[in-house]
Amino acid sequence: MVLYPASLESALGFDVLRDRLIEHAMSSAGADRLAAMRPLRGEEATRNALARVAEYLDALRYDDRIPFDAVPDVREGLQQIGPAGAYLEPETLLDVWRVLSVMRLVRQYFIQRKDKYPMLAREAEALCALPQVEQRLREIVDDEGRIREHASPELRRIRDRLARRQAQLREAMQQALRKAIGQGYSTEEQPTIRGGRMVIPVRVEAKRKIDGFVHDVSATGQTVYIEPADCLDLNNDVRSLEAEERREIIRILQEATDLLREHQAPLRAGLGELAAFDTIQARARLARAMDASVPELNTAGVVDIRGGRNPVLALRFAQPGPQEAAREVIPLNLQLGEAFNTLLITGPNAGGKTVALKTVGLFALMIAYGMPLPAHPSTRFALFSNLFVDIGDGQSIEDDLSTFSSHIANLHHMLQHAGASTLILIDEAGTGTDPAEGGALAQAVLETLTRKQARTIATTHHGSLKAFAHETPGVENGSMQFDQETLEPTYVFQAGIPGSSYAFSIAERRGLDVDVLERARDLVGREKTNLEDLINTLERRTVSLEHQLRDAEAAAGLARAEEAKYRQLHQRLQDQKEVIKEQALEAAEQVIQKANAQVERTIREIKESQAARDVTRQVRAELDALKETVQVQKQQVKKRRPPRPKPSPAQEAAGPLTVGDQVVLDGGNTTADLLEIDGKQAVIMAGSMHLRVDLKRLTKVAGPRRQQVTVRHVAADPMQMSAVRARQRIDLRGRRVDEALAETSRFIDEAIAANLNRVEILHGKGTGALRAAIHEYLNQTPEVTRYEDASWDDGGPGVTQVHFA
């Protein structure tokens, strides 16, 4: 993206974002890159950069901690390893080890998750992985930057000898010092070191009384430091061993430095990749701090900001200063580039026009830097090739530029280079000169930019530009809402409506003389005053209509929800009605069958008693007619029922029916719960109805229903519910799940009100369904601290013991 003028970033406030980015850097090299970064060029580069940041942001929000910790700057140290024989100090080797460790851990983290973060996994593969070098450095240097005792066998041998000689030397020195103290030659209690050799402090007047060598004199001249002659050989041995230790340490450091020199190329490349990775994680961490997300990108020049928040204000108000109160950033909803390409924002001062303008500019700049936007994810934003702004006072004493001249220079550049892929922001268009001429000049510029199809947003106070925006195709008015009751800005953008300056209203509210206001209205012209009043009325009505529209939409949503609920209820009642009717017909059929048997027996008896044939025939005909009527009604019920759906593969593979399954009767649409299986019969519950049906008529559609219980705990007066009155144990065996859960809810409420520490629920073992449902309810009850199965003596898994805080 091409930026103009050079002061664009500071004019929009992007320097604040850059400083925050640098604060999130984990390395000096990454911070340097962020300080020097420039906008990306090309659609592919921008999309890839945003995709990588989006992946890192997902990892921050939803995955395990990323092992990207702060790393020291080792660039200067690596420059010192070039000459043969050179060596790095232990502290620098420790820094190199820390860098290698971070690169290895970050590389491993993302490669292990390449299915979730494919782009970052490819980036991570370029990080340097030198496990052997890392291991050797760890063997040499400890966490404090000291050479380890086991860095080499020779070093360990030297240090063992040195420790023994130092112990012998300290013992000899202590004896010499005790003797000097006994003779009154010294008052100190411990030997000390001077010039690398151990000595004892002696009063200056007694220095000739001690056989030894004077190494130093105190600052006051009252004490001399003498190495006793008896300790000379021991001191020499210690110094000799210390020199050997130093030579061995240098050899070890040279060996480690040689190892780094062998891998210098991949190490330097890895440091570069780590710095690049650092810029990605800094963008992601800043995005998380702003609750930002990647918008939908397009190359059609469309800007559709939804719930956008100015990032500078979002960061500032998220951490207010000691004298600042917490504030909320009013979200911005703004469209550009579809129905119109030029937007003119008008309204009073301090109403938020410039903030809205800068928000759009910052969003364009953040996209060009590969940064997510603090806006709703459904936001759409164009990939612009150019970003030109004219914001602020650009006067310059050195260049002899006035404010107006600066504006003209900016406008000239915009007109020369504007195109369909250009975003142009002009603050206070037409200011800095005669109002009439400035307004005309601003209109001519906006007309040209509109013809060039540049996406342009301009703020202004010129009333003539409001009419221009209303009458010109491709140009739209916009304004920031103003509370006409309090005369305070709301900072809410509204499209399609020009804004009033509210100059007279604000002046009147501030107590300006009425005569002065009337004179001002006369001077400006009653026609313009009436126009301002019309705009105020239009804005007031628009706000009212927006409130009514929101209320209507809320009411419509509620009505739709109620309609869906009653439709579902109606369908359930219809299904239950059909089930009841079918049951009644089946019962009637059973009655007829019993009656038929009785009639047959009666006929047989009549025949045996020589009754008339016509009477027997009449009875049989009446019975057949009744049976036929029942069959016809039964067929009509079945025809009215929805067609039986073909079992899905999931239903066919659902397995045998078990108690608790969700089933349908005869392939119907109403789901019932299977409560009991008794041979070839089953008991089901559809709604509040319990039915006994043949098992073969049931089809399994799902496993046991997940119990969802909403419990409202009613705070009880402890004086009214004492621990003595409250139950401490309930027996739920044989209860249905829904009944048991309702009883459990009442039981837990009583226990909480009575301030009990523990209660017991007896549910039995059975299939385990009731126990599982009760445990799930207890998991959702915040007052329950824990629960557990009772001991085997108290019922084991058939009893749950519940504990409260």
Side-chain angles (χ1 to χ4, degrees):
M1 175 185 283
V2 177
L3 307 180
Y4 180 87
S7 59
L8 179 146
E9 290 190 2
S10 60
L12 292 176
F14 187 78
D15 51 339
V16 176
L17 296 185
R18 190 188 293 270
D19 290 343
R20 289 297 184 93
L21 273 176
I22 293 173
E23 290 176 7
H24 284 288
M26 294 291 185
S27 66
S28 298
D32 292 344
R33 288 200 178 201
L34 291 171
M37 68 177 180
R38 301 300 303 158
L40 299 164
R41 291 181 178 270
E43 176 184 354
E44 182 178 2
T46 304
R47 290 184 181 274
N48 288 341
L50 283 168
R52 288 191 289 268
V53 175
E55 287 186 359
Y56 204 104
L57 187 57
D58 285 345
L60 286 175
R61 286 172 171 166
Y62 313 119
D63 216 323
D64 297 331
R65 177 185 176 275
I66 303 172
F68 199 151
D69 298 318
V71 295
D73 190 357
V74 298
R75 291 174 292 180
E76 182 178 352
L78 292 180
Q79 292 176 354
Q80 301 173 4
I81 67 176
Y87 62 89
L88 298 178
E89 292 297 331
E91 295 83 358
T92 306
L93 291 180
L94 177 62
D95 291 344
V96 174
W97 173 80
R98 287 172 174 162
V99 172
L100 288 173
S101 177
V102 168
M103 284 197 287
R104 174 180 53 83
L105 292 173
V106 172
R107 185 177 189 273
Q108 177 179 318
Y109 181 94
F110 285 105
I111 290 179
Q112 288 177 347
R113 295 166 174 78
K114 61 182 178 182
D115 292 338
K116 291 191 288 187
Y117 317 117
M119 299 192 73
L120 289 179
R122 288 194 293 272
E123 290 283 324
E125 287 177 352
L127 293 175
C128 184
L130 299 173
Q132 294 179 345
V133 176
E134 184 182 345
Q135 180 180 356
R136 180 55 183 152
L137 293 180
R138 193 58 176 161
E139 292 172 351
I140 293 174
V141 187
D142 63 14
D143 292 337
E144 303 299 326
R146 297 187 296 261
I147 299 295
R148 295 181 183 272
E149 296 237 353
H150 302 282
S152 75
E154 179 64 16
L155 180 62
R156 182 178 181 182
R157 185 188 64 80
I158 294 172
R159 285 186 170 177
D160 287 345
R161 290 178 57 200
L162 177 60
R164 289 194 297 269
R165 277 288 186 265
Q166 287 175 335
Q168 293 172 359
L169 177 61
R170 279 194 298 273
E171 178 61 28
M173 284 291 179
Q174 286 288 359
Q175 291 180 2
L177 183 58
R178 284 195 294 271
K179 182 179 179 180
I181 294 173
Q183 295 173 340
Y185 302 153
S186 178
T187 58
E188 302 289 339
E189 296 182 355
Q190 291 292 334
T192 186
I193 302 293
R194 286 293 185 271
R197 300 179 73 88
M198 191 172 291
V199 295
I200 60 173
V202 176
R203 292 205 299 268
V204 64
E205 61 271 16
K207 66 179 180 179
R208 299 186 183 280
K209 306 278 176 96
I210 301 295
D211 185 17
F213 306 94
V214 176
H215 283 273
D216 199 0
V217 180
S218 67
T220 61
Q222 300 300 312
T223 303
V224 294
Y225 298 96
I226 298 176
E227 178 184 1
D230 295 343
C231 299
L232 179 63
D233 291 338
L234 287 174
N235 251 328
N236 289 339
D237 288 346
V238 168
R239 290 301 301 272
S240 176
L241 288 171
E242 287 176 345
E244 286 187 42
E245 179 190 34
R246 181 58 185 166
R247 286 193 297 270
E248 179 61 15
I249 287 176
I250 292 175
R251 188 196 66 78
I252 293 172
L253 296 177
Q254 288 174 334
E255 173 196 319
T257 304
D258 292 343
L259 188 60
L260 292 178
R261 190 182 300 111
E262 293 176 12
H263 299 87
Q264 187 172 7
L267 184 55
R268 288 184 181 276
L271 288 174
E273 292 297 331
L274 186 65
F277 222 98
D278 197 6
T279 64
I280 296 173
Q281 72 83 27
R283 291 181 176 96
R285 290 184 186 277
L286 182 61
R288 185 174 63 168
M290 296 188 297
D291 192 21
S293 57
V294 177
E296 300 176 17
L297 303 177
N298 67 87
T299 57
V302 175
V303 173
D304 183 7
I305 299 175
R306 302 179 184 182
R309 291 167 288 116
N310 184 282
V312 175
L313 295 180
L315 290 172
R316 177 182 174 185
F317 294 157
Q319 297 178 337
Q323 304 300 324
E324 292 181 315
R327 295 175 58 184
E328 179 184 359
V329 179
I330 304 300
L332 173 68
N333 298 299
L334 183 147
Q335 291 78 40
L336 180 70
E338 286 185 310
F340 53 89
N341 291 337
T342 301
L343 175 63
L344 190 72
I345 305 178
T346 52
N349 287 325
K353 300 190 303 296
T354 301
V355 172
L357 187 82
K358 289 185 175 182
T359 301
V360 178
L362 276 173
F363 278 13
L365 198 55
M366 291 172 72
I367 291 295
Y369 277 118
M371 299 171 61
L373 307 181
H376 192 275
S378 61
T379 292
R380 294 180 294 162
F381 211 94
L383 293 167
F384 291 106
S385 300
N386 304 311
L387 175 59
F388 302 152
V389 305
D390 181 33
I391 298 176
D393 188 353
Q395 65 180 342
S396 169
I397 298 176
E398 291 83 357
D399 297 334
D400 195 23
L401 286 178
S402 66
T403 300
F404 182 69
S405 298
S406 173
H407 290 324
I408 293 300
N410 292 339
L411 295 176
H412 173 72
H413 183 90
M414 294 174 181
L415 294 172
Q416 291 292 318
H417 300 90
S421 185
T422 302
L423 176 62
I424 294 178
L425 307 175
I426 304 174
D427 192 29
E428 300 296 350
T431 58
T433 187
D434 177 78
E437 294 178 354
L441 183 61
Q443 178 174 332
V445 169
L446 294 177
E447 287 176 345
T448 303
L449 294 176
T450 303
R451 285 196 302 270
K452 288 177 172 286
Q453 297 185 346
R455 275 47 175 179
T456 306
I457 302 178
T459 67
T460 187
H461 283 288
H462 287 288
S464 61
L465 295 180
K466 302 175 186 177
F468 156 72
H470 177 71
E471 298 168 354
T472 306
V475 185
E476 182 64 275
N477 269 306
S479 59
M480 308 303 293
Q481 281 186 5
F482 210 69
D483 190 328
Q484 298 188 25
E485 298 297 327
T486 63
L487 293 181
E488 296 291 337
T490 66
Y491 305 109
V492 176
F493 174 77
Q494 52 187 4
I497 302 176
S500 170
S501 66
Y502 292 95
F504 294 145
S505 299
I506 294 174
E508 184 177 5
R509 177 65 63 89
R510 295 293 184 268
L512 197 64
D513 292 345
V514 176
D515 294 342
V516 174
L517 288 173
E518 288 301 318
R519 175 57 178 162
R521 289 190 173 97
D522 291 337
L523 290 173
V524 78
R526 285 295 171 181
E527 184 175 348
K528 182 176 181 186
T529 302
N530 292 338
L531 176 61
E532 290 292 321
D533 292 341
L534 179 62
I535 291 175
N536 295 345
T537 302
L538 178 61
E539 183 176 353
R540 187 163 51 249
R541 288 180 179 177
T542 300
V543 172
S544 176
L545 288 174
E546 287 178 351
H547 291 163
Q548 295 178 26
L549 179 60
R550 283 196 294 268
D551 293 342
E553 288 176 346
L558 181 61
R560 286 193 294 270
E562 291 295 319
E563 180 186 12
K565 182 174 70 174
Y566 284 110
R567 283 183 182 275
Q568 185 179 10
L569 179 61
H570 175 72
Q571 183 61 44
R572 187 183 307 137
L573 292 175
Q574 288 295 109
D575 292 342
Q576 293 177 1
K577 177 182 176 183
E578 298 299 336
V579 172
I580 294 171
K581 186 178 292 185
E582 185 173 354
Q583 275 190 313
L585 291 172
E586 289 178 350
E589 188 174 6
Q590 292 176 2
V591 171
I592 291 174
Q593 289 175 353
K594 293 179 181 179
N596 187 25
Q598 182 63 36
V599 169
E600 290 292 340
R601 286 194 298 272
T602 302
I603 291 174
R604 186 169 59 252
E605 293 173 358
I606 291 173
K607 286 182 178 181
E608 292 175 354
S609 62
Q610 302 298 319
R613 287 188 174 183
D614 55 346
V615 176
T616 303
R617 189 181 300 110
Q618 181 180 356
V619 173
R620 186 183 295 278
E622 291 176 354
L623 180 61
D624 291 340
L626 180 58
K627 289 174 64 177
E628 184 178 354
T629 299
V630 172
Q631 291 295 332
V632 170
Q633 292 180 354
K634 188 174 181 180
Q635 293 298 324
Q636 290 176 348
V637 170
K638 289 184 176 181
K639 288 180 180 179
R640 285 195 296 269
R641 288 165 60 187
R644 181 173 181 173
K646 181 180 180 181
S648 66
Q651 293 173 355
E652 293 178 348
L657 293 171
T658 58
V659 173
D661 287 343
Q662 299 177 58
V663 297
V664 293
L665 178 63
D666 294 332
N669 293 330
T670 301
T671 302
D673 294 324
L674 179 56
L675 301 182
E676 181 182 338
I677 298 177
D678 184 10
K680 296 183 179 181
Q681 296 284 310
V683 177
I684 63 173
M685 182 176 69
S688 60
M689 295 175 49
H690 289 70
L691 308 175
R692 179 176 288 276
V693 297
D694 289 339
L695 190 62
K696 63 183 180 181
R697 297 174 58 191
L698 301 179
T699 303
K700 180 177 179 179
V701 295
R705 190 186 306 274
R706 177 182 175 89
Q707 296 293 331
Q708 293 183 345
V709 179
T710 302
V711 180
R712 294 183 179 178
H713 294 295
V714 180
D717 186 350
M719 298 300 294
Q720 297 176 356
M721 179 63 73
S722 67
V724 175
R725 292 177 55 195
R727 296 175 293 171
Q728 297 187 352
R729 181 184 177 94
I730 57 172
D731 188 350
L732 303 177
R733 289 176 296 181
R735 303 283 188 94
R736 297 200 313 272
V737 171
D738 53 346
E739 295 175 348
L741 289 176
E743 182 63 21
T744 300
S745 171
R746 290 190 292 271
F747 177 60
I748 294 298
D749 285 348
E750 292 174 5
I752 294 171
N755 200 26
L756 296 181
N757 294 326
R758 192 191 73 160
V759 294
E760 291 184 348
I761 301 174
L762 175 60
H763 44 68
K765 300 176 183 178
T767 63
L770 180 57
R771 175 177 178 271
I774 291 173
H775 285 189
E776 182 177 359
Y777 165 69
L778 295 176
N779 283 331
Q780 299 172 358
T781 305
E783 291 85 356
V784 174
T785 56
R786 62 185 177 90
Y787 60 87
E788 58 193 5
D789 292 339
S791 64
W792 287 104
D793 295 336
D794 295 332
V799 177
T800 295
Q801 295 180 345
V802 184
H803 300 265
F804 304 97

